[in-house]
Each structure stands twice: as structure tokens, then as C-alpha cells.
Amino acid sequence: MRRFVFRDSAIVIVTMGLFVLSPENMALQICLGVGLGLSAYLFHEWAHWLGARLVNAKIDSPDFILSPFLFSFDSEANSTRQFVHMTWPGFLATAIYITAYDLLLPDTLWGQIAWWMAVALTLATVIIEGPLALWAVLREDLPPVEIPFLGENRVLNQLFDRIQGG
């Protein structure tokens, strides 16, 4: 996990450096906007990770340093309670960054890029993670939420078994 801390800290530090420089150069403004968008995403992901760790959830970490995900949640080894406690911090982080960006971002190229990335991430959270969280809470059952090719994924494993079996 240490390498993801270094990777994500580097992204945030470079973004903060660009923010302090307040660049007028268009390429640097694009980098700043993308950096702020990535920082929002990382805030969301680290909030999920912290929630999972606080309830001792079984999670699988990626081997690939460029993975956009910090972990895959094991829906067979964890409880619905652990899933809910892993999920809600990500929703809270999303609410915090979308509110902060709405209130604080200037109407500049970098501000618009960061804003629209935050909106896209918020929509993805609502569309992808929202139904999974509702399913878990309302049915008191965990849907398979493992990330493909990152740890065990029972849905993909079942599919591969069917393909191999004929």
C-alpha cells in the first residue's frame, strides 16, 4: 500500500504546486484541472479504503501501480455491515469535494476542467456505487462487487468456469 501512498501524494503535491504557481499557460492549466479532478477521485477512493480498514474488511490490493483502484472488496468474506462501512465514506468524500468545488473553483480553464471531472466522478458514484449500496442495505445481502482482474472475482470465475466446461 505504501507505493499507492507515494503515488497519490506525488499527484497531490504536483497539483498543489501548480495551484500555487497559478499558471497562465494553457497546458499547465489543463494539468492543474486534471490534477484537481484526480485529487477528487483519490479522496473518494482513500475514503473507501479507510472505511474498509476501520471495520477490518478483507480487501485485495492491486499489484499494478497504475491501477485506478486501491483495492477490491471481497463480497464473500465480508459482511453487509462491513460493506456499508466501506461504502459511506466514499459517498461522504464525494459530497465534500463536489460542494467545495462548486463553492470555490474559479471560472478559469483549470477550474472548469476540475469541475467537470468532479461532476463526472459524482455521476459515476451515483450510477455505479449507489445501486450497489442500496442493494446491500435493502436486501441485507452483498452483490458481487469485486473489481475484475484485481483479487478474486466470483462472477468472472463462474463465467470462466462455464466457458471452460463447454
Side-chain angles (χ1 to χ4, degrees), residues 84-100:
V84 169
H85 286 287
M86 177 275 299
T87 301
W88 74 262
F91 287 117
L92 178 62
T94 299
I96 290 169
Y97 76 66
I98 199 71
T99 301

Side-chain angles (χ1 to χ4, degrees), residues 1-41:
M1 205 53 173
R2 188 175 306 154
R3 59 195 165 137
F4 290 102
V5 170
F6 289 127
R7 177 198 71 179
D8 297 348
S9 295
I11 291 169
V12 171
I13 289 167
V14 167
T15 301
M16 288 179 2
L18 285 170
F19 181 79
V20 169
L21 290 174
S22 189
E24 292 189 24
N25 177 286
M26 186 166 51
L28 291 178
Q29 282 203 30
I30 291 169
C31 290
L32 175 55
V34 170
L36 285 168
L38 283 173
S39 295
Y41 175 75

Side-chain angles (χ1 to χ4, degrees), residues 91-166:
F91 287 117
L92 178 62
T94 299
I96 290 169
Y97 76 66
I98 199 71
T99 301
Y101 281 16
D102 184 45
L103 295 174
L104 302 173
L105 286 176
D107 189 22
T108 59
L109 175 60
W110 64 265
Q112 290 176 7
I113 291 169
W115 169 251
W116 287 111
M117 284 183 73
V119 167
L121 293 167
T122 301
L123 287 173
T125 298
V126 170
I127 292 167
I128 296 168
E129 294 179 6
L132 295 171
L134 281 174
W135 174 288
V137 170
L138 296 177
R139 294 195 52 165
E140 295 181 9
D141 180 37
L142 292 181
V145 294
E146 290 80 3
I147 297 170
F149 310 109
L150 198 164
E152 289 295 314
N153 188 307
R154 67 180 179 196
V155 173
L156 282 179
N157 290 344
Q158 290 171 356
L159 178 63
F160 290 146
D161 289 345
R162 285 185 188 158
I163 291 170
Q164 290 174 349

Side-chain angles (χ1 to χ4, degrees), residues 1 47-59 85-86:
M1 205 53 173
H48 279 315
W49 181 86
L50 181 61
R53 299 306 303 148
L54 288 174
V55 293
N56 296 315
K58 182 180 182 316
I59 56 177
H85 286 287
M86 177 275 299

